[in-house]
C-alpha cells in the first residue's frame, strides 16, 4: 500500500495548536475521567499504573469511541452530509457510561463550540452548533470544526487523542501526586497507545463498529459521584 502524505497548512496548524492548548477555555482541566476515585481507592498510586489507566481509556474506553465519532463527524462535515452529521451528534450524546462522563464530554463540547464561533467564525459550524444547542460532545464538535477549517483528519484525530491523554495525566500528576518529570515520562510512554487509537479511529467507517469495554473506569466514575472529598468534576 502506498504511503499517504497529509499536508497541514500554517493556518490549519495554528487553529489545531490553539484549540488543543490548555489555555483554550473548554474547562477540560476540571475533569479526571474517574481517576480521582481510582487514586482515592489505591488502584492508581504510581506512574506505570497511571499509564495503564490512560491506555485503557484510549484503547477500550471513551477515547476509542470519541475518536471514532470524531472521524465520522469530520468525514460527514467535509462531505456536507448534514443528516449524517446530526446522527453522529445524537450518538455522541448517548454513548456515555455515567452521568459524570457525559458531563465531561458535553460541557467542554458546548464551551468549544462557543469560543470557536467567537474566535474562528465559520458559517457551516455556526449553523451546525445552532441545530444542536447543548448537545455537542467535545469530540464531535472538534471533528466537524476541524473539517471546515482545513485541519486534516489524521492530524485532528491524533491531536485530540493526545490532548485527552495529556489531560488525564495532568490530573494524575496532581492527584497521586507525581512530579512534573514523571508526568512527562508518562505522556511520552502513551505515544504508542495514542498512535494505535488514531489508526483504529481512522478505520471506522460506520458507528456500528464502535464500542467500549473499560468497565473499571465506568465504575470509578460512578463511585466518584458520591465521593466525599473531590477536586474534579468526574
Amino acid at each position: 500500500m502506498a504511503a499517504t502524505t497529509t499536508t497541514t497548512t500554517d493556518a490549519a496548524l495554528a487553529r489545531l495548536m490553539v484549540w488543543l492548548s490548555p489555555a483554550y477555555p473548554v474547562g477540560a482541566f476540571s475533569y479526571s475521567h474517574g481517576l480521582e476515585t481510582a487514586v482515592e481507592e489505591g488502584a492508581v498510586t504510581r506512574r506505570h499504573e497511571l499509564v495503564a489507566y490512560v491506555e485503557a481509556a484510549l484503547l477500550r474506553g471513551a477515547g476509542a469511541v470519541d475518536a471514532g465519532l470524531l472521524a465520522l463527524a469530520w468525514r460527514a462535515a467535509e462531505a456536507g452530509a448534514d443528516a449524517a452529521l446530526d446522527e453522529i451528534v445524537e450518538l455522541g450524546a448517548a454513548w456515555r457510561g455515567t452521568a459524570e462522563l457525559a458531563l465531561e464530554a458535553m460541557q467542554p463540547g458546548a464551551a468549544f463550540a462557543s469560543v470557536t464561533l467567537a474566535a474562528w467564525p465559520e458559517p457551516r459550524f455556526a449553523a451546525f452548533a445552532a441545530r444542536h444547542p447543548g448537545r455537542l460532545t467535545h469530540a464531535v464538535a472538534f471533528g466537524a470544526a476541524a473539517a471546515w477549517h482545513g485541519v486534516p483528519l489524521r492530524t485532528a484525530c491524533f491531536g485530540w487523542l493526545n490532548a485527552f491523554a495529556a489531560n488525564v495525566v495532568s490530573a494524575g500528576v496532581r492527584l497521586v501526586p507525581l512530579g512534573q518529570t514523571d508526568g512527562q515520562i508518562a505522556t511520552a510512554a502513551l505515544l504508542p497507545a495514542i498512535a494505535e487509537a488514531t489508526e483504529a479511529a481512522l478505520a471506522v467507517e460506520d458507528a456500528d463498529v464502535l464500542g467500549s469495554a473499560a468497565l473499571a473506569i465506568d465504575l470509578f466514575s460512578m463511585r466518584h459521584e458520591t465521593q466525599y472529598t473531590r477536586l474534579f468534576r468526574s
Side-chain angles (χ1 to χ4, degrees), residues 43-126:
V44 175
T45 61
R46 291 175 289 180
R47 186 180 70 214
H48 75 273
E49 293 167 343
L50 174 61
V51 170
Y53 190 96
V54 182
E55 283 181 345
L58 285 167
L59 300 175
R60 294 179 293 279
V65 171
D66 278 336
L69 292 172
L70 187 159
L72 292 173
W74 189 99
R75 292 188 178 111
E78 199 271 339
D82 287 350
L85 186 55
D86 292 345
E87 183 177 350
I88 294 162
V89 169
E90 294 307 313
L91 287 171
W95 223 316
R96 305 296 143 191
T98 72
E100 288 191 354
L101 294 181
L103 180 65
E104 182 179 319
M106 304 293 279
Q107 182 273 316
F112 176 84
S114 177
V115 70
T116 302
L117 286 170
W120 312 89
E122 208 286 332
R124 291 167 295 182
F125 187 66

Side-chain angles (χ1 to χ4, degrees), residues 30-50:
S30 62
Y31 299 94
S32 81
H33 204 71
L35 180 64
E36 186 165 21
T37 297
V39 173
E40 175 75 13
E41 296 181 1
V44 175
T45 61
R46 291 175 289 180
R47 186 180 70 214
H48 75 273
E49 293 167 343
L50 174 61

Side-chain angles (χ1 to χ4, degrees), residues 211-226:
S212 64
L215 300 181
I217 291 177
D218 288 345
L219 291 172
F220 285 132
S221 175
M222 290 176 188
R223 293 200 289 274
H224 187 265
E225 295 176 11
T226 56

